Amino acid sequence: MARPGAACPPPARRVMVAARALLFWALVYSYCGVCACIAGLRLLWSIGRRPGETFRWVVRENPPACLNDPSLGTHCYVRIKDSGLRFHYVAAGERGKPLMLLLHGFPEFWYSWRHQLREFKSEYRVVALDLRGYGETDAPPHKENYKLDCLIADIKDILESLGYNKCVLIGHDWGGMIAWLVAICYPEMVTKLIVVNFPHPSVFTEYILRHPSQLIKSGYFFFFQMPWFPEFMFTLNDFKVLKSLFTSQATGIGRKGCRLTAEDIEAYLYVFSQPGALTGPINHYRTLFSCLPLQNHEIIMPTLLLWGERDAFMEVEMAEITRIYVKNHFRLTILSEASHWLQQDQPDIVNKLIWTFLKEETKRKRE
């Protein structure tokens, strides 16, 4: 039987590829325009209601005490030879123990893993990283410096700079996207993969094009394609959007979750209220569509996927579909009362599930 498309002459195939690319980018920029219009209307509404408050922006000069809590670990820095970038991380647990590397999402930073830093330091060298462009990690100025291949290489280089050749890799949200890709590109460096509230990248790219509901929930991916305007919208009303992401009824941690304290919120405001602090994180998204669609890739190491069912940004159906890409032991746990911010929302349950998975895998290896 002839391969599908084999009879199609090369010029025709090129036309088809160009047409699909044109449709893809038309979708991206059209939806980007829609999201920009909605944001503009919200801005006008805010100015009309509270003109004095709309443009208030307080830069926090001193970090809250929780960011220097010694029980969370030690603040460290490492400079990568190839890129020349300096990365900030917080490390807990003795050097020489197996490495557990934690990758945060957006808009977060190392502090989102505070519960895991305390929990796993008894048996692991736990490292919570500030990704490229976040917090105290260097932020290259050009969006091209945030392409996925750069972000993947960062994790490989950091692992080697820390003196390790493998780790337990855990990622949440955008950090989950990076964790999946590191596991695909450098499987020898990942002994066990744990992802929180982000599906396999191929599932995400296929699902979003077929389900308008997920396209709407992922509207910020498109809005972030615009220069400077997304950063500006975050600063309005002294970062009201940032605060509401974690606290509102629609997107925040639910009634049964472990709510962020006033000091926790202040920690986020301290980091992201610094001049220019939002550009690096948003640049992660500005290069995403140039890397799509991703090819289908298999995961060959034991994998745990944890999912908060009340996630306002990711539909839970993607979690189950992810199973087909994992060619090793795969465990999926969906927490019905949990939000997108799962490791902060339900830290005790999440930590218990991670421990069970890690010990289960150790026992399986021995047998």
Side-chain angles (χ1 to χ4, degrees):
M1 182 179 292
R3 180 173 57 85
C8 186
R13 283 206 300 273
R14 287 197 293 268
V15 170
M16 289 174 63
V17 170
R20 290 182 64 182
L22 181 63
L23 288 172
F24 176 77
W25 286 107
L27 171 64
V28 169
Y29 286 113
S30 296
Y31 196 34
C32 175
V34 170
C35 294
C37 290
I38 294 172
L41 290 173
R42 288 176 175 170
L43 172 60
L44 293 174
W45 176 256
S46 178
I47 293 173
R49 292 183 63 201
R50 301 187 187 89
E53 288 291 310
T54 297
F55 301 106
R56 188 169 68 92
W57 173 1
V58 178
V59 177
R60 280 76 180 172
E61 295 184 358
N62 299 308
C66 62
L67 292 183
N68 292 308
D69 183 348
S71 72
L72 296 178
T74 304
H75 291 261
C76 306
Y77 301 86
V78 60
R79 188 171 296 278
I80 305 303
K81 291 182 180 179
D82 290 344
S83 67
L85 298 180
R86 189 184 76 155
F87 283 78
H88 168 255
Y89 63 93
V90 172
E94 296 176 11
R95 295 177 184 273
K97 288 183 176 180
L99 178 64
M100 177 182 284
L101 186 59
L102 309 174
L103 311 180
H104 63 78
F106 175 89
E108 298 174 291
F109 63 114
W110 71 266
Y111 187 70
S112 68
W113 297 109
R114 58 197 176 279
H115 302 292
Q116 289 68 45
L117 282 163
R118 291 192 183 101
E119 178 70 22
F120 295 100
K121 65 183 180 182
S122 60
E123 293 189 23
Y124 289 89
R125 175 69 168 173
V126 189
V127 170
L129 186 67
D130 275 344
L131 295 174
R132 176 183 292 224
Y134 281 84
E136 294 185 58
T137 291
D138 286 347
H142 304 296
K143 68 178 184 179
E144 289 76 16
N145 296 125
Y146 296 85
K147 289 185 176 181
L148 289 175
D149 56 352
C150 297
L151 307 179
I152 297 166
D154 283 345
I155 307 307
K156 173 182 178 292
D157 293 340
I158 286 165
L159 199 68
E160 293 172 349
S161 297
L162 293 175
Y164 288 85
N165 55 25
K166 57 185 178 180
C167 70
V168 173
L169 186 60
I170 306 181
H172 168 246
D173 182 69
W174 184 257
M177 161 78 94
I178 298 172
W180 284 115
L181 295 174
V182 171
I184 290 166
C185 297
Y186 301 105
E188 71 282 359
M189 303 187 84
V190 182
T191 57
K192 299 175 185 68
L193 177 65
I194 301 170
V195 179
V196 183
N197 278 78
F198 202 92
H200 187 286
S202 294
V203 173
F204 179 70
T205 53
E206 293 167 4
Y207 190 92
I208 194 173
L209 294 174
R210 297 176 182 175
H211 296 81
S213 56
Q214 181 58 54
L215 191 68
I216 292 170
K217 289 181 178 180
S218 300
Y220 62 98
F221 279 70
F222 297 85
F223 178 55
F224 287 170
Q225 302 309 304
M226 299 186 65
W228 71 264
F229 191 48
E231 290 95 319
F232 171 71
M233 290 299 294
F234 263 93
T235 66
L236 298 180
N237 296 287
D238 193 29
F239 297 85
K240 181 180 178 181
V241 170
L242 181 65
K243 288 179 270 192
S244 66
L245 281 173
F246 295 105
T247 61
S248 72
Q249 186 174 356
T251 64
I253 293 173
R255 289 181 292 109
K256 296 185 179 182
C258 184
R259 298 289 188 91
L260 301 190
T261 66
E263 191 176 35
D264 292 335
I265 295 294
E266 196 59 29
Y268 281 92
L269 292 174
Y270 168 75
V271 168
F272 290 106
S273 68
Q274 305 305 314
L278 282 161
T279 299
I282 293 176
N283 275 343
H284 280 247
Y285 294 87
R286 287 185 170 127
T287 62
L288 177 63
F289 292 112
S290 64
C291 303
L292 296 178
L294 298 171
Q295 295 180 358
N296 299 340
H297 291 289
E298 295 180 350
I299 300 295
I300 64 171
M301 68 286 300
T303 301
L304 171 66
L305 179 58
L306 301 176
W307 204 281
E309 191 173 23
R310 297 175 66 88
D311 191 326
F313 309 102
M314 295 284 169
E315 294 190 352
V316 69
E317 288 77 11
M318 291 188 288
E320 184 60 41
I321 301 172
T322 291
R323 184 184 301 273
I324 66 175
Y325 292 101
V326 181
K327 305 306 177 183
N328 201 313
H329 174 63
F330 177 74
R331 178 179 291 276
L332 168 64
T333 301
I334 299 171
L335 303 182
S336 60
E337 295 297 325
S339 70
H340 176 75
W341 319 105
L342 188 56
Q343 79 273 22
Q344 301 184 77
D345 184 329
Q346 304 284 347
D348 292 341
I349 296 175
V350 167
N351 292 346
K352 183 177 180 181
L353 290 168
I354 292 174
W355 273 127
T356 300
F357 173 72
L358 294 174
K359 293 179 178 179
E360 186 178 70
E361 281 306 305
T362 301
K363 183 179 179 182
R364 183 179 284 108
K365 277 188 175 182
R366 288 173 179 169
E367 292 175 350

